[in-house]
C-alpha cells in the first residue's frame, strides 16, 4: 500500500519537475532581460569575484532593488547571486531611466493588447445593444436595457 502511494507521489513530483523546467528557463531569461535593461539604463555590474564579495552578495535577497543612502549620494542596488553572480549598482538617474522604460513597455503592451481586442473581425458589436445615448459613447445604461 505504501509503495503505491510512494509511486503516485514520485509520478506527481516528476510531472511537476517536467512542467516547471521551462518555467525555470524562462525565469533565467527574464532575469537576463532585466539585467540587460538595467545596464542599458546606466547600472554598472560589479562581479562577486572575491570570497568577501560572494559572502556579502548572498546576504542580500536575490533579484530585488535596494536603496543605499550615503550622505547626499543615493544608489540603487540589484543583487543576482544565481545568474550573473554580480551586484548591479546605479544612480537615482539610472534607476529613474529603468523605471521609465518599464512604464513605457507596460503602456505599449496595454495599447497592443487593446488593439488586439478590438481588431477581431468575428466580434459582433451589435449583439451588445445600441451604441451611443445615455452614458456617452458606449451606450450602457438603464434606458438601453442594461
Amino acid at each position: 500500500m505504501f509503495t503505491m502511494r510512494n509511486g503516485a507521489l514520485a509520478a506527481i513530483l516528476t510531472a511537476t519537475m517536467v512542467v516547471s523546467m521551462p518555467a525555470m528557463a524562462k525565469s533565467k531569461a527574464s532575469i537576463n532581460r532585466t539585467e540587460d535593461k538595467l545596464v542599458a539604463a546606466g547600472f554598472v555590474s560589479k562581479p562577486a569575484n572575491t570570497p568577501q564579495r560572494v559572502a556579502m552578495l548572498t546576504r542580500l535577497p536575490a533579484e530585488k532593488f535596494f536603496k543605499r543612502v550615503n550622505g547626499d549620494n543615493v544608489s540603487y542596488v540589484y543583487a543576482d547571486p544565481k545568474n550573473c553572480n554580480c551586484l548591479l549598482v546605479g544612480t537615482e538617474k539610472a534607476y529613474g531611466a529603468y523605471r521609465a522604460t518599464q512604464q513605457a513597455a507596460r503602456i505599449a503592451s496595454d495599447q497592443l493588447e487593446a488593439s488586439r481586442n478590438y481588431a477581431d473581425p468575428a466580434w459582433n458589436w451589435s449583439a451588445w445593444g445600441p451604441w451611443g445615448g445615455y452614458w456617452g459613447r458606449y451606450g450602457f445604461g438603464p434606458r438601453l436595457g442594461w
Side-chain angles (χ1 to χ4, degrees), residues 68-75 92:
R68 182 178 181 270
V69 179
N70 186 11
D72 290 340
N73 295 327
V74 177
S75 299
E92 283 184 288

Side-chain angles (χ1 to χ4, degrees), residues 39 56 83 132 140:
V39 170
M56 291 185 330
N83 193 32
F140 301 125

Side-chain angles (χ1 to χ4, degrees), residues 20-68:
S20 65
M21 280 182 185
M24 284 188 256
K26 186 174 190 240
S27 177
K28 185 172 182 175
S30 175
I31 294 166
N32 284 336
R33 283 192 302 274
T34 298
E35 290 170 0
D36 289 345
K37 290 174 186 174
L38 288 170
V39 170
F43 277 70
V44 176
S45 177
K46 303 214 177 233
N49 54 8
T50 66
Q52 183 184 15
R53 282 184 171 189
V54 170
M56 291 185 330
L57 185 63
T58 57
R59 292 179 59 89
L60 290 174
E63 300 147 21
K64 302 255 188 244
F65 282 101
F66 294 94
K67 187 176 182 179
R68 182 178 181 270

Side-chain angles (χ1 to χ4, degrees), residues 10-24:
I12 291 170
L13 290 175
T14 302
T16 303
M17 287 175 60
V18 169
V19 170
S20 65
M21 280 182 185
M24 284 188 256

Side-chain angles (χ1 to χ4, degrees), residues 2-16:
F2 289 112
T3 308
M4 188 172 147
R5 286 184 184 171
N6 290 343
L9 180 61
I12 291 170
L13 290 175
T14 302
T16 303

Side-chain angles (χ1 to χ4, degrees), residues 2 13 25 29 51 70 76 89 93-94 104 107 113 141:
F2 289 112
L13 290 175
N70 186 11
Y76 288 86
V89 182
K93 183 178 178 180
I107 291 170
E113 185 62 31

